[in-house]
Amino acid sequence: MKVVIIGGVAGGATAAARLRRLDEHAEIVVFERSGYISYANCGLPYYIGGVIEDPEALTLQTPESFFARFRVDMRVRHEVTAIHPERKTVSVKNLDTGGEFEESYDKLILSPGAKPTQPRLPGVGLERLFTLRTVEDTFRVKEYINTRHPKSAVLAGGGFIGLELAENLRELGMDVTIVQRPRQLMNPFDPDMAAFIHSEMRSHGVKLALGHTVEGFEERDGGVDVLLKDEAPLHADMVVLAIGVTPDTALAKAAGLELGLKGSIVVNDRMETSDPDIYAVGDAVQVKHYVTGQDVLLSLAGPANKQGRIAADNICGGDSRYPGSQGSSVIRVFDLTAASTGVNETNAKKAGLDADAVVLSPMSHAGYYPGGKLMTMKVVFEKGTDRLLGAQIVGYEGVDKRIDVLSAAIHAGLTATRLKDLDLAYAPPYSSAKDPVNMAGFLVENLSKGIVKQFRLEDMKDLPRDGRVTLLDVRTPGEYDRGHIEGFRNIPVDELRERLGELPPGRPVYVMCQSGLRSYIACRILAGRGYDAYNFSGGFRFYDAVVSDRRLIESAAACGMDR
């Protein structure tokens, strides 16, 4: 059996290694048009920033090491220019010599990945405009920084690469601005949770120009003007386009394979394309979302590696299936860690799900043990069934392990209420006896059983201020004086029972505290005394962070820059 693989990075390299482990006698040929295989895309910004110092550390394998271990013919700087399914061959061009030839196959695996989205705008292609996708891209950016010593950069796009690159350029002392049309960074997060990411970026000097449309680029004064719709241009010494990626599927299209979203390759759960002898994996393929069941594109290394393994299994006679992608991810944002899994509330509702969420602010470990820090968790679930749909966490230590627990719970089909039953490891330096994941389960259970009712940030604007309801803040007077919402009166929770006479009977009571815990206790007191009480999800800390962020974005839209 002869297997040809197009693309030698995550999915392609994984498939090649798995094929060899399953079949010692198969002939395996990999064509990679760049000069590198099996490289770590996610590490590229950290090489630019000097966190990773050795460029060889970016490549997990070389063609020589791969051949030595797996006897796989890895041919870099070889570009496949056409696929001929009718005769089961591919046309290949040697980019070093210019020579062209055909290579036959019994089975073909496409792992071409995705390419940086290149908008059709005036000025694209200027010398000082860069993309960041391959090792070669990284070296070009690094060389420009080392030789030209730019003082400022504009990054068009606020996804994973944009944020990681912003951090690394700031660490090099550069002035950095992120500009993009969406009014939030990091689309896996809901806008309210993205507010914490925005705050961290601003606190480290990154300027955010959100809600601005880039219309082109012009060279000026030794730098680049980023032209904005209805705004003054942004000027910088260099610009990096990080507005997303597009499936690189020109070969698949020309070969007549079935295509899907944004020209991606349609595959089944065995990673088979519309041609029974051609498989496809990685960023170029359309997959099912594990939670919604909808067709999606998810450009993440984990799914690509799993898909490569599955394709190899099936080529070798197995029956491996890809269950779909959850989109689990984590990113460092300066001192902050932000992670998500499943579907956020915004996309859950777009998918037609009757979604709700709880927001909580637990400590990373036991409060009495020194060094604990707050994290903000948002757990999304389906009303009525309590099906766990997704989660987002922003904080410091312990964020990654909680998101992994929640990811596993979604994959296992647990309801959000079952989170309370998980037996999670506890010691004071690492967690609390009631782990944050358990706490989320307690909150959802209380809602599900009617023990407490909640109101959300989006409900705040509709609360009547004419006395028909009582608005109550149960924090201490000191907390209240440092910041509160207009119309909320202050009665500390520990004084509530003695001061119930100050609350008009028969009126609903909407209760707030700093994080949602004391207001929950107050709601239980009020419910026990016959009041119809509602707890504010997330507390004043959450409200203040989100509302302050929205004001900054609105101000930026008015003046043209977020400072």
Side-chain angles (χ1 to χ4, degrees):
M1 179 176 63
K2 181 177 181 180
V3 182
V4 169
I5 301 174
I6 301 175
V9 191
T14 296
R18 179 68 171 174
L19 282 166
R20 176 57 72 225
R21 289 194 295 268
L22 295 178
D23 187 341
E24 180 63 18
H25 303 289
E27 182 181 356
I28 307 167
V29 182
V30 179
F31 295 113
E32 168 58 43
R33 67 183 166 200
S34 77
Y36 300 88
I37 64 162
S38 192
Y39 59 83
N41 296 75
C42 303
L44 302 183
Y46 297 100
Y47 174 69
I48 291 171
V51 177
I52 298 172
E53 297 180 354
D54 184 358
E56 293 186 2
L58 295 172
T59 53
L60 307 177
Q61 293 274 3
T62 65
E64 293 77 19
S65 66
F66 213 96
F67 182 81
R69 178 158 297 179
F70 297 110
R71 292 302 188 270
V72 168
D73 185 2
M74 281 277 187
R75 303 187 201 177
V76 296
R77 301 280 300 158
H78 280 68
E79 181 176 11
V80 174
T81 57
I83 302 169
H84 311 289
E86 70 284 355
R87 59 179 185 268
K88 298 180 73 169
T89 66
V90 295
S91 296
V92 186
K93 182 176 182 178
N94 185 322
L95 298 179
D96 289 328
T97 66
E100 298 185 19
F101 59 93
E102 281 198 5
E103 190 82 22
S104 64
Y105 65 83
D106 296 312
K107 299 291 183 180
L108 179 67
I109 300 178
L110 301 181
S111 183
K115 55 189 177 183
T117 302
Q118 291 273 19
R120 294 181 179 178
L121 296 175
V124 169
L126 292 175
E127 178 192 6
R128 295 174 179 84
L129 258 66
F130 299 89
T131 58
L132 187 60
R133 184 66 178 172
T134 66
V135 175
E136 288 91 343
D137 292 337
T138 308
F139 291 161
R140 280 193 290 270
V141 174
K142 183 78 168 177
E143 181 183 12
Y144 182 82
I145 292 172
N146 289 343
T147 58
R148 304 289 188 90
H149 308 292
K151 299 289 191 268
S152 58
V154 169
L155 310 181
F160 289 96
I161 291 294
L163 265 63
E164 290 169 346
L165 189 56
E167 175 182 345
N168 281 279
L169 295 182
R170 281 297 294 154
E171 293 296 330
L172 294 175
M174 295 176 62
D175 183 81
V176 178
T177 300
I178 295 178
V179 59
Q180 65 173 25
R181 183 183 303 170
R183 296 171 73 90
Q184 71 164 83
L185 304 175
M186 294 299 294
N187 285 334
F189 294 81
D190 285 312
D192 50 10
M193 294 297 288
F196 294 91
I197 299 173
H198 298 168
S199 178
E200 184 73 6
M201 298 295 283
R202 294 186 189 108
S203 71
H204 285 83
V206 177
K207 301 180 182 71
L208 303 181
L210 305 178
H212 296 274
T213 301
V214 176
E215 293 196 321
F217 310 92
E218 289 182 355
E219 289 186 337
R220 183 176 66 85
D221 298 336
V224 181
D225 273 351
V226 180
L227 308 179
L228 305 179
K229 182 179 181 180
D230 301 325
E231 297 286 349
L234 299 171
H235 186 76
D237 295 330
M238 63 181 294
V239 174
V240 181
L241 299 180
I243 58 178
V245 293
T246 302
D248 191 356
T249 56
L251 286 173
K253 181 178 181 180
L257 300 182
E258 182 183 354
L259 302 182
L261 295 172
K262 295 183 179 179
S264 59
I265 305 170
V266 172
V267 293
N268 61 19
D269 60 357
R270 288 169 49 87
M271 309 314 298
E272 295 168 333
T273 70
S274 54
D275 184 306
D277 292 317
I278 302 178
Y279 294 71
V281 302
D283 294 353
V285 305
Q286 172 182 292
V287 296
K288 297 292 184 184
H289 196 286
Y290 188 80
V291 174
T292 67
Q294 295 182 336
D295 294 329
V296 294
L297 298 176
L298 286 172
S299 298
L300 294 168
N305 279 275
K306 295 180 183 71
Q307 292 161 11
R309 178 185 175 95
I310 289 168
D313 284 353
N314 293 323
I315 286 172
C316 292
D319 187 24
S320 292
R321 307 277 175 161
Y322 186 66
S325 294
Q326 280 182 217
S328 301
S329 63
V330 63
I331 184 173
R332 190 184 78 178
V333 184
F334 291 99
D335 299 324
L336 204 66
T337 298
S340 69
T341 187
V343 64
N344 63 29
E345 186 178 15
T346 304
N347 290 333
K349 290 179 177 178
K350 286 181 180 177
L353 296 170
D354 189 10
D356 199 357
V358 293
V359 178
L360 59 157
S361 301
M363 294 285 285
S364 57
H365 59 241
Y368 62 83
Y369 189 86
K373 293 184 178 180
L374 284 174
M375 64 179 71
T376 303
M377 296 179 62
K378 182 175 184 179
V379 176
V380 184
F381 60 96
E382 186 176 42
K383 294 179 184 178
T385 68
D386 294 333
R387 180 164 72 106
L388 187 58
L389 303 177
Q392 302 149 63
I393 311 177
V394 180
Y396 301 91
E397 63 184 41
V399 167
D400 53 339
K401 77 171 183 176
R402 269 66 185 224
I403 208 69
D404 283 343
V405 170
L406 289 161
S407 174
I410 292 172
H411 192 82
L414 299 186
T415 62
T417 52
R418 287 289 307 280
L419 297 176
K420 67 183 175 59
D421 301 321
L422 296 179
D423 192 354
L424 304 175
Y426 160 62
Y430 302 105
S431 184
S432 300
K434 298 175 182 176
D435 188 86
V437 173
N438 297 136
M439 293 299 298
F442 295 146
L443 264 65
V444 177
E445 182 187 51
N446 285 340
L447 290 172
S448 182
K449 291 184 174 181
I451 294 172
V452 70
K453 293 181 282 188
Q454 72 174 7
F455 67 110
R456 304 278 304 280
L457 185 64
E458 56 268 27
D459 302 321
M460 191 69 74
K461 65 182 184 301
D462 297 324
L463 291 180
R465 299 300 206 269
D466 57 3
R468 285 179 290 159
V469 302
T470 299
L471 307 178
L472 182 63
D473 188 321
V474 297
R475 295 176 296 160
T476 66
E479 290 174 301
Y480 182 83
D481 290 342
R482 286 191 291 273
H484 61 270
I485 300 174
E486 190 69 29
F488 278 73
R489 64 178 302 178
N490 182 222
I491 300 178
V493 63
D494 293 338
E495 301 175 15
L496 183 57
R497 289 183 178 89
E498 289 71 33
R499 297 175 61 180
L500 284 175
E502 300 177 28
L503 303 182
R507 297 180 185 174
V509 185
Y510 290 81
V511 191
M512 167 175 283
C513 73
Q514 189 69 9
S515 68
L517 175 58
R518 284 173 288 174
S519 52
Y520 161 63
I521 295 168
C523 283
R524 292 305 303 149
I525 293 171
L526 292 167
R529 303 301 178 96
Y531 287 88
D532 185 19
Y534 297 81
N535 185 27
F536 180 67
S537 180
F540 182 79
R541 171 182 171 270
F542 181 75
Y543 170 89
D544 189 46
V546 177
V547 171
S548 296
D549 178 64
R550 289 177 180 174
R551 287 172 181 158
L552 284 171
I553 293 173
E554 291 295 334
S555 174
C559 70
M561 181 56 63
D562 183 336
R563 299 186 190 279

